[in-house]
Amino acid sequence: MAPSRTSPPPPSSSVTGLTPEQLTFFKENGYLIIPDYLPAKTASSVLSHTNQMLNDFSLEGHPMTRFTTGEDDSNDKHVGDDYFLSSNDKIRYFFESDAFSSAPPHNLTKPKHLAINKIGHALHSLDPAFAAISTTGAIGARNAAIARDIGFTDPRVLQSMVICKQPEIGAEVPPHQDSAFLYTDPPSAVGWWFALEDATVENGCLSFAAGSHKRAAIEKRFIRKDVYGEDGTGFEDVSGARFPKGLETEKEKSGEEVYTMGEVKAGSLVLIHGNILHKSERNLSSKSRFIYTFHVIEGAEEWQYDKKNWLQPPGSGEGFTRLFSAEA
Ligand code: FE2
């Protein structure tokens, strides 16, 4: 990848990333919860900022794209329109499927600020409030130190989003692995997931199949079909590596996965390994569950990022945003 013009230096050894105990937990389980990672006032100001954005965005000319998950979803084609596929370097608003009436003409049944599923995918590079909890300032420096501790040598933030999980209509997210959507060969994705408000069983917190990153291969990957001269997105079998470097030989026996609930307070950071199976239930409660997340992949040369990925680097030629410079 081409170097970015503004590359932060490698984190100083004095910057705390993960403690040895936290790193061990992450390696063993494939996820890690760090309570109180964001100062309370930071979490609440980012939440207020998000609410302002939801109030301010315009429906004029909006294609009303819905964000849906799941390979078998009959609405699958909706996540493959141009509004979605060209959101890599923009801030765009994707609707919750259940925010529309089921009968024609399928009008919105909720005010727009209660109808958005997610905002993405370049908050980290276009909006200073999100940059400040991603790549810049004291929190950016700690994120970089965590990336260093996990083992990244050239960590690149390739996407970011707010996931709203709206009251009453917040959709279920079925079990999945993030590296299927952000595939490198070999896999390398890790998610930074920040609770902007409390995430509970009631409002659809995450749950994790602890340790599944060691036994669940990336079998299929999410692709943009224009590489085959077709429209939209789909899934295809992975022909490259299906486990990250270092995990190829673990070969734990796989059985029925058991999911552990990940209830967290506002301000918590959850690190999510790209191979771990995780999911969240519907939010039928009266409380929203707003979170901010960004994903990091390894940008060093031995990791291939190809044109099939739905998300492509910004047109500037600088590649995805560096969390820190690879050069010491
Ligand atoms: Fe995920």
Side-chain angles (χ1 to χ4, degrees):
M1 285 183 193
S4 166
R5 247 181 266 146
T6 52
S7 297
S12 143
S13 57
S14 64
V15 178
T16 305
L18 300 179
T19 65
E21 294 75 24
Q22 287 172 326
L23 187 57
T24 298
F25 187 96
F26 179 73
K27 286 185 172 172
E28 283 302 307
N29 294 282
Y31 75 100
L32 173 70
I33 295 170
I34 308 179
D36 302 317
Y37 188 83
L38 298 180
K41 68 175 192 312
T42 303
S44 70
S45 73
V46 175
L47 179 62
S48 302
H49 179 60
T50 303
N51 281 316
Q52 192 66 51
M53 292 167 74
L54 289 171
N55 282 315
D56 291 350
F57 87 96
S58 174
L59 289 181
E60 208 179 305
H62 194 294
M64 308 305 278
T65 303
R66 306 174 195 193
F67 184 77
T68 57
T69 56
E71 205 171 333
D72 303 321
D73 196 312
S74 58
N75 284 324
D76 200 33
K77 62 184 188 305
H78 286 120
V79 297
D81 69 3
D82 184 62
Y83 187 76
F84 175 79
L85 286 170
S86 62
S87 63
N88 60 329
D89 55 358
K90 300 175 187 71
I91 295 174
R92 287 183 164 170
Y93 298 78
F94 302 93
F95 283 90
E96 193 67 74
S97 269
D98 284 353
F100 298 85
S101 65
S102 51
H106 308 297
N107 290 326
L108 264 188
T109 57
K110 300 272 183 186
K112 66 182 170 80
H113 71 283
L114 294 173
I116 291 299
N117 170 295
K118 74 171 183 178
I119 310 171
H121 286 93
L123 295 163
H124 65 286
S125 57
L126 297 179
D127 187 318
F130 293 103
I133 58 173
S134 307
T135 60
T136 64
I139 296 168
R142 184 156 180 213
N143 292 336
I146 289 174
R148 171 202 64 198
D149 292 352
I150 290 173
F152 283 100
T153 59
D154 184 7
R156 304 290 187 116
V157 180
L158 77 167
Q159 69 161 12
S160 52
M161 52 200 172
V162 166
I163 300 173
C164 300
K165 204 86 166 174
Q166 297 281 4
E168 299 171 352
I169 58 168
E172 168 196 14
V173 179
H176 68 280
Q177 298 157 291
D178 291 347
S179 278
F181 297 88
L182 305 166
Y183 182 72
T184 57
D185 183 9
S188 60
V190 174
W192 269 243
W193 189 103
F194 301 86
L196 300 181
E197 48 193 351
D198 296 351
T200 64
V201 170
E202 188 191 24
N203 69 0
C205 67
L206 292 176
S207 61
F208 303 95
S212 59
H213 63 303
K214 296 182 187 174
R215 51 186 177 261
I218 306 299
E219 306 279 6
K220 288 184 184 289
R221 54 180 292 201
F222 187 66
I223 59 153
R224 52 192 305 144
K225 289 184 174 169
D226 57 6
V227 290
Y228 298 118
E230 298 172 33
D231 290 336
T233 55
F235 288 86
E236 73 172 30
D237 290 345
V238 166
S239 57
R242 303 183 308 153
F243 282 99
K245 277 185 198 292
L247 285 183
E248 309 94 328
T249 55
E250 294 266 344
K251 292 209 185 340
E252 281 191 13
K253 199 169 186 289
S254 61
E256 177 123 7
E257 298 291 353
V258 175
Y259 284 81
T260 306
M261 285 294 177
E263 289 194 306
V264 293
K265 293 283 185 197
S268 300
L269 168 63
V270 186
L271 293 175
I272 305 172
H273 190 285
N275 271 59
I276 192 177
L277 286 158
H278 59 289
K279 63 178 181 173
S280 66
E281 307 301 327
R282 294 190 72 185
N283 181 12
L284 299 174
S285 79
S286 59
K287 291 181 181 156
S288 57
R289 193 221 66 182
F290 279 32
I291 68 95
Y292 169 67
T293 185
F294 65 81
H295 285 87
V296 174
I297 55 166
E298 178 58 60
E301 253 175 42
E302 306 116 85
W303 282 260
Q304 302 297 317
Y305 192 91
D306 67 26
K307 294 279 179 201
K308 289 183 179 178
N309 278 314
W310 81 266
L311 184 100
Q312 291 297 312
S316 59
E318 295 179 7
F320 293 121
T321 310
R322 286 177 188 265
L323 200 45
F324 62 78
S325 169
E327 297 86 37

